[in-house]
Amino acid sequence: MGENLFPIVLLLVFVAVFVAIEAGYLWWNSTRGPEKRRMDRRLRMISAGGAVDSAEMSVLKRRLTSNGPAMERLMAAIPRLSSLDRFLVQSGTEWTLPNFLVYTGSFAALGLFGTLLTGRPLPFAIVVALALGMLPTLYLVHQRQKRLKRFESLLPEALDLIGRSLRAGHALPSALQMAGSEMPDPVGEEFRQTFDEINFGISAQDALQNLARRVPSTDLGFFVIAVLIQRESGGDLSEILSNISGIIRERLKLFGKVRALSAEGRFSGIVLILLPFAAASLLYVIDPGFMSLLWTDPTGILFLKGGLVFMVVGAFWMSRIVRIRV
């Protein structure tokens, strides 16, 4: 009897293991899979654009911040939620609002308690916590600037592609679809999103305005304004896009020349900032007792604070001088 039941038990174990593996795969694919990430990314980009009504926006906010009731209440208490979400989308990262808050809080807590454990005073620990808490924001700012710079460098080629598509007889949505499929990211990603919005029923004017909101680029603003004006008054849009792409290329070329001419000023600023620290380190190696007066004597501490303040002011002033807008 037991030998007859063994194949049945073996079959049931096999079915149970198979069902468990399939359930685990379906759970992972629905919560962490590529399609889920792509859908979340698209929802975030739509919410960052802003051309949805209040009911849809509330659903999107619940979708983006649904990490439990506590997290949802915390996110609801934060002002300018849409602006922060747009900033995360513009950075091109996969971070969500809860991720950003967790990273910021973790770095700040690490700086605070780590500094307190070393025996430092509380004001110094607070300063360290604020400095470490700003690291995720600085990373996102860097990624946003990097993505925006790459977008602007690829935009002239995308406008030429759209212009050639229009001259070949394609409509504007089809031209945007071709630009989205042919151009690399982030240009392709943004134009694909614009085409999807038009394809899903949003008007072309709202979709283009969403594109301009998601990508804070002056050159892209020229493209959006030109298309909106052409749709109202008529004209040869392909020729307009060709002229805009030529202007953008000349602007980028001029910006490169300006950066080359201002490189000496930037290098001088870096040298002037690092020189006091290098000289102080060298003097400390030569004569530690002489340099230790800066942080042991009250007058030395006063001079040290004043020097740091003037260095910060000077670095800010030099950065404004060498930053030339084109």
Side-chain angles (χ1 to χ4, degrees):
M1 187 68 179
E3 294 180 355
N4 295 331
L5 291 177
F6 181 75
I8 300 176
V9 172
L10 187 62
L11 178 62
L12 292 177
V13 170
F14 172 77
V15 172
V17 172
F18 177 80
V19 171
I21 294 175
E22 182 69 16
Y25 171 76
L26 293 176
W27 173 83
W28 180 88
N29 194 43
S30 62
T31 57
R32 297 291 188 273
E35 292 296 331
K36 174 65 166 49
R37 293 198 300 268
R38 190 178 300 113
M39 182 179 65
D40 288 345
R41 174 74 177 172
R42 184 161 296 177
L43 286 172
R44 292 173 60 210
M45 293 181 71
I46 293 175
S47 67
V52 291
D53 55 27
S54 59
E56 292 173 339
M57 182 60 70
S58 63
V59 172
L60 286 172
K61 287 182 179 180
R62 288 197 299 269
R63 176 70 183 84
L64 294 171
T65 61
S66 58
N67 284 38
M71 180 61 69
E72 187 173 349
R73 289 194 299 270
L74 178 62
M75 299 304 298
I78 298 178
R80 295 185 175 273
L81 182 65
S82 60
S83 299
L84 182 57
D85 183 49
R86 185 180 300 120
F87 175 75
L88 292 174
V89 172
Q90 290 171 356
S91 66
T93 61
E94 296 294 333
W95 290 11
T96 60
L97 292 170
N99 294 143
F100 174 73
L101 290 181
V102 168
Y103 295 154
T104 302
S106 300
F107 276 99
L110 178 64
L112 179 63
F113 295 109
T115 307
L116 290 177
L117 290 176
T118 59
R120 300 292 181 179
L122 181 61
F124 183 76
I126 293 176
V127 172
V128 174
L130 292 176
L132 290 182
M134 288 295 294
L135 290 180
T137 303
L138 295 177
Y139 170 75
L140 292 177
V141 169
H142 172 72
Q143 291 296 113
R144 179 176 180 268
Q145 292 177 350
K146 181 180 177 181
R147 184 172 184 266
L148 182 59
K149 185 180 297 184
R150 176 166 174 76
F151 183 93
E152 291 179 341
S153 65
L154 294 173
L155 183 59
E157 297 181 13
L159 296 185
D160 288 340
L161 178 59
I162 294 174
R164 289 193 298 268
S165 301
L166 294 175
R167 284 193 293 270
H170 293 279
L172 179 62
S174 299
L176 294 176
Q177 182 186 21
M178 294 181 64
S181 60
E182 296 294 334
M183 296 298 299
D185 292 340
V187 172
E189 180 185 20
E190 294 294 343
F191 279 111
R192 284 195 301 270
Q193 176 65 26
T194 303
F195 169 75
D196 289 341
E197 290 181 1
I198 297 175
N199 198 32
F200 293 153
I202 299 178
S203 64
Q205 179 177 355
D206 291 337
L208 290 172
Q209 289 177 351
N210 290 345
L211 175 62
R213 292 189 189 98
R214 290 195 305 268
V215 184
S217 171
T218 304
D219 299 332
L220 181 64
F222 293 156
F223 162 71
V224 173
I225 292 174
V227 173
L228 295 181
I229 293 177
Q230 188 272 341
R231 292 177 68 87
E232 295 293 334
S233 60
D236 190 357
L237 182 58
S238 61
E239 182 179 357
I240 295 174
L241 296 182
S242 178
N243 294 333
I244 292 177
S245 65
I247 293 174
I248 295 173
R249 284 192 174 92
E250 293 298 325
R251 180 174 176 269
L252 293 176
K253 187 184 300 183
L254 179 59
F255 184 72
K257 292 181 179 179
V258 169
R259 284 188 59 85
L261 294 174
S262 60
E264 181 181 357
R266 294 197 305 272
F267 181 75
S268 300
I270 295 174
V271 170
L272 291 176
I273 292 174
L274 298 179
L275 184 60
F277 297 100
S281 301
L282 182 61
L283 290 175
Y284 182 78
V285 172
I286 296 174
D287 191 352
F290 175 75
M291 283 301 300
S292 62
L293 293 176
L294 276 177
W295 53 84
T296 57
D297 188 84
T299 306
I301 295 176
L302 182 61
F303 276 103
L304 188 61
K305 293 179 180 179
L308 291 176
V309 170
F310 282 113
M311 285 185 63
V312 171
V313 173
F316 174 76
W317 189 256
M318 291 193 68
S319 66
R320 302 297 296 178
I321 291 175
V322 300
R323 184 181 301 172
I324 302 174
R325 295 186 179 274
V326 179

